[in-house]
Amino acid sequence: MDGTLDPNAARKAWLSVLAKADADAVGALWAETGLAPEHSVLRAPEIGAVMVRGRAGAVGAPFNMGEMTVTRASVRLATGEVGHGYVQGRGKDHARTAALVDALMQTDQAGVVEAGVLTPLRDAASTRRATRAAKAAATKVDFFTIARGED
Amino acid sequence: MYVAVKGGEKAIDAAHAWLAEERRGPEDVAELSVDQIKEQLKLAVNRVMAEGSLYDPDLAALAIKQARGDMIEAIFLIRAYRTTLPRFGGSEPVDTDAMACDRRVSATFKDAPGGQVLGPTFDYTHRLLDFKLAADGETPKAAERAEEPAPKPHIMSFLDREDLIQPEPEGADTPPDLTREPLELPAARALRLQSLTRGDEGFVLGMAYSTQRGYARNHAFVAELRIGTCAVEMDIPELGFAIEIGEVELTECETVNQFQGSKTQPPQFTRGYGLVFGMSERKAISMALVDRALRWKELGEDNVGAPAQDEEFVLYHADNVQATGFLEHIKLPHYVDFQSELELIRKLRREAMDRVPNQEAAE
């Protein structure tokens, strides 16, 4: 689907950032915001597994590779917004915080959460990615021809 | 006859206490932390995740510590833990085309778009012991080169465009899962790939090597080997759309193999495929070679009777947890079984001995 036309694109993006972020970083940034919205727990944090799939030959029939650990949680704010957190690993606080962030992003607190939690996480992820890409680029082979066989 | 015996509890407790002490080793040596294992023995962690069939570096590192570095024991611990987890669902197939590559090499095309990227490889090292590591040597900093990451399309797609490579058939969205249903033969390719990706690295390597030495030779070239991270996306029912739920490091190997042709089909290259958790290129290449060998029937090849073509042999012996469980159980008490064998052999010997003098007497 074209990302620009997807009505869920923004929510997908912040949920993905939260899922892949370091659990300690999420906890620290969340604590710094000082937010403690009143909420009820729809689903207490639960640790489980997701079967990761690949495709035969990268393009063919799907096959099961193996599982990964995932933790999920759901909350409802006192104002009614429902938030879901699905995060990699076994962090119960990570999943609960992700659900709260998801819920608050649907309220007028969105700006505070975006600036205090999501933007720093996005920045950290892109820095990490750029650093690895730069190290990989440094190991790129530049071929040069020593001598040609024909004249 | 089954006879229950009791006893040995004290001996077992003492053995386990000693195990814990031996695991820790001398106290004047600093204790190894799980984080140190996770960050500094990363390839061991990767192997435990791949064969334990659970991607969680913290757990794999803990398992290695608990198992005192015994990889199969660590894999066993992860498999046992895995069974305690509820399954939330299955992911979308990972898009390896979009992999953030740390490494990407091709043995078939020098000028692959996106370039040949070596990454943190052991290749081209001299395999000389580095005594600096034993003496707290300083670690050199990795070089960096600012560059817009170029797209790295699969090299195989270029052959595909020209119809030079056998196309990959589509399959069911929900593939069969050997952790849920018993593995029945003949196994679909999806099951073979699942079995190989979690199979024992040594076993799969040995099988792959046998094809190179001539047992079902299929002349593999590594068209592409890539290592890096891929996002894992899953459909979330309560949201009604898919989100990324994490990212995993993967090694993917695509081989291009000897071509096939028939009366109706012009000759085409064929392919083998390996995809493994973590940075595990020996395993990924091995998997691709064995995958290719097992495809003999669908590609219309002859069964030359090679072990790597025999899916029952390969798939039923690739799992090191199953293998070690059965192998090691023979060291556990079999006193009653053995007692009956002992009775039997004494009886047979008695009968044989009785016959010998009689025969002599008859002659």
Side-chain angles (χ1 to χ4, degrees):
Chain A
M1 198 187 303
D2 186 347
T4 53
L5 296 176
D6 181 357
N8 301 312
R11 194 172 182 199
K12 266 175 99 143
W14 76 59
L15 285 168
S16 300
V17 168
L18 291 163
K20 295 188 287 187
D22 176 64
D24 293 338
V26 173
L29 291 166
W30 173 251
E32 262 174 53
T33 63
L35 292 166
E38 211 177 303
H39 67 277
S40 55
V41 175
L42 295 179
R43 177 190 274 142
E46 180 188 15
I47 299 171
V50 166
M51 179 54 91
V52 180
R53 294 186 176 131
R55 284 187 186 283
V59 290
F63 69 97
N64 292 309
M65 275 195 73
E67 287 160 305
M68 61 183 272
T69 49
V70 171
T71 305
R72 65 182 176 187
S74 301
V75 298
R76 178 186 278 122
L77 300 183
T79 47
E81 294 80 6
V82 172
H84 301 291
Y86 270 79
V87 301
Q88 183 166 14
R90 290 162 298 112
K92 290 189 173 181
D93 289 338
H94 186 185
R96 191 185 302 113
T97 308
L100 284 168
V101 168
D102 180 42
L104 284 173
M105 282 301 288
Q106 303 164 51
T107 69
D108 54 12
Q109 300 269 50
V112 180
V113 178
E114 174 66 51
V117 180
L118 293 170
T119 301
L121 292 179
R122 286 183 219 272
D123 291 348
S126 63
T127 304
R128 203 166 53 230
R129 182 168 274 244
T131 306
R132 283 201 87 81
K135 287 178 187 172
T139 68
K140 195 158 151 184
V141 180
D142 298 315
F143 288 106
F144 52 90
T145 306
I146 297 168
R148 293 183 78 98
E150 75 274 13
D151 275 322
Chain B
M1 184 178 61
Y2 179 75
V3 181
V5 285
K6 276 177 74 79
E9 292 95 333
K10 273 189 188 158
I12 290 169
D13 286 347
H16 290 171
W18 194 15
L19 168 67
E21 191 187 283
E22 287 283 302
R23 175 189 296 123
R24 173 60 184 87
E27 288 191 12
D28 56 350
V29 176
E31 187 179 348
L32 195 55
S33 75
V34 170
D35 275 346
Q36 285 171 334
I37 297 171
K38 184 173 84 166
E39 302 299 342
Q40 296 174 35
L41 295 179
K42 201 160 165 263
L43 302 188
V45 168
N46 286 342
R47 182 170 174 197
V48 171
M49 295 196 299
E51 295 172 35
S53 210
L54 184 68
Y55 195 99
D56 187 315
D58 296 290
L59 287 178
L62 173 63
I64 290 168
K65 178 170 179 173
Q66 188 177 334
R68 306 177 66 194
D70 179 333
M71 299 299 277
I72 294 183
E73 184 71 21
I75 291 160
F76 198 162
L77 291 168
I78 291 298
R79 291 273 187 95
Y81 177 84
R82 193 196 69 80
T83 61
T84 66
L85 296 174
R87 184 173 302 171
F88 295 162
S91 80
E92 300 290 321
V94 286
D95 179 8
T96 54
D97 223 34
M99 180 186 281
C101 294
D102 285 352
R103 172 166 167 79
R104 190 276 199 128
V105 293
S106 170
T108 53
F109 293 103
K110 179 168 71 74
D111 298 313
Q116 307 258 358
V117 177
L118 299 180
T121 180
F122 291 127
D123 292 353
Y124 314 111
T125 62
H126 294 103
R127 267 72 182 211
L128 298 172
L129 277 175
D130 180 0
F131 291 98
K132 285 207 301 284
L133 288 173
D136 292 332
E138 265 180 42
T139 315
K141 277 264 162 270
E144 294 187 18
R145 183 155 98 182
E147 190 180 276
E148 274 305 301
K152 294 182 179 61
H154 276 106
I155 287 163
M156 214 64 118
S157 61
F158 305 119
L159 293 174
D160 208 9
R161 233 172 274 161
E162 282 187 74
D163 257 354
L164 294 177
I165 186 99
Q166 148 265 321
E168 291 290 19
E170 299 281 311
D173 281 348
T174 305
D177 183 354
L178 63 81
T179 68
R180 292 296 163 103
E181 306 109 33
L183 179 60
E184 281 178 13
L185 302 175
R189 187 167 177 217
L191 280 175
R192 302 199 299 253
L193 291 170
Q194 183 182 13
S195 171
L196 291 173
T197 191
R198 72 210 296 269
D200 183 78
E201 180 173 313
F203 179 85
V204 182
L205 169 66
M207 281 289 135
Y209 181 44
S210 76
T211 69
Q212 291 187 294
R213 290 196 60 254
Y215 295 87
R217 184 189 295 279
N218 52 46
H219 297 278
F221 294 99
V222 173
E224 184 165 359
L225 179 75
R226 51 170 72 197
I227 303 176
T229 49
C230 283
V232 179
E233 208 171 286
M234 183 173 75
D235 206 40
I236 307 293
E238 52 268 42
L239 289 169
F241 53 86
I243 62 164
E244 289 173 10
I245 51 165
E247 60 187 3
V248 290
E249 187 184 31
L250 299 173
T251 303
E252 181 185 60
C253 174
E254 290 178 281
T255 57
V256 54
N257 300 64
Q258 198 167 50
F259 42 83
Q260 296 293 322
S262 65
K263 285 185 187 119
T264 52
Q265 283 255 295
Q268 273 186 324
F269 286 117
T270 58
R271 53 216 274 171
Y273 189 66
L275 185 66
V276 184
F277 280 154
M279 184 173 183
S280 320
E281 64 186 57
R282 181 185 305 114
K283 172 74 176 284
I285 299 169
S286 301
M287 177 176 168
L289 263 56
V290 179
D291 169 50
R292 176 60 187 77
L294 288 171
R295 301 183 71 194
W296 63 272
K297 201 182 284 178
E298 66 212 54
L299 295 173
E301 291 175 331
D302 292 332
N303 181 0
V304 298
Q309 287 180 309
D310 183 339
E311 68 172 359
E312 179 174 348
F313 184 82
V314 175
L315 304 184
Y316 279 24
H317 301 106
D319 192 294
N320 55 24
V321 175
Q322 271 173 16
T324 204
F326 197 62
L327 182 111
E328 293 198 44
H329 101 281
I330 65 173
K331 74 192 173 186
L332 300 174
H334 280 68
Y335 304 137
V336 177
D337 285 357
F338 187 67
Q339 200 67 36
S340 68
E341 297 268 309
L342 205 56
E343 296 283 320
L344 183 63
I345 197 156
R346 280 185 181 136
K347 183 163 168 268
L348 291 171
R349 281 176 63 89
R350 216 164 25 236
E351 286 168 8
M353 299 295 237
D354 286 349
R355 267 200 310 276
V356 176
N358 291 349
Q359 274 174 359
E360 278 171 4
E363 281 161 15

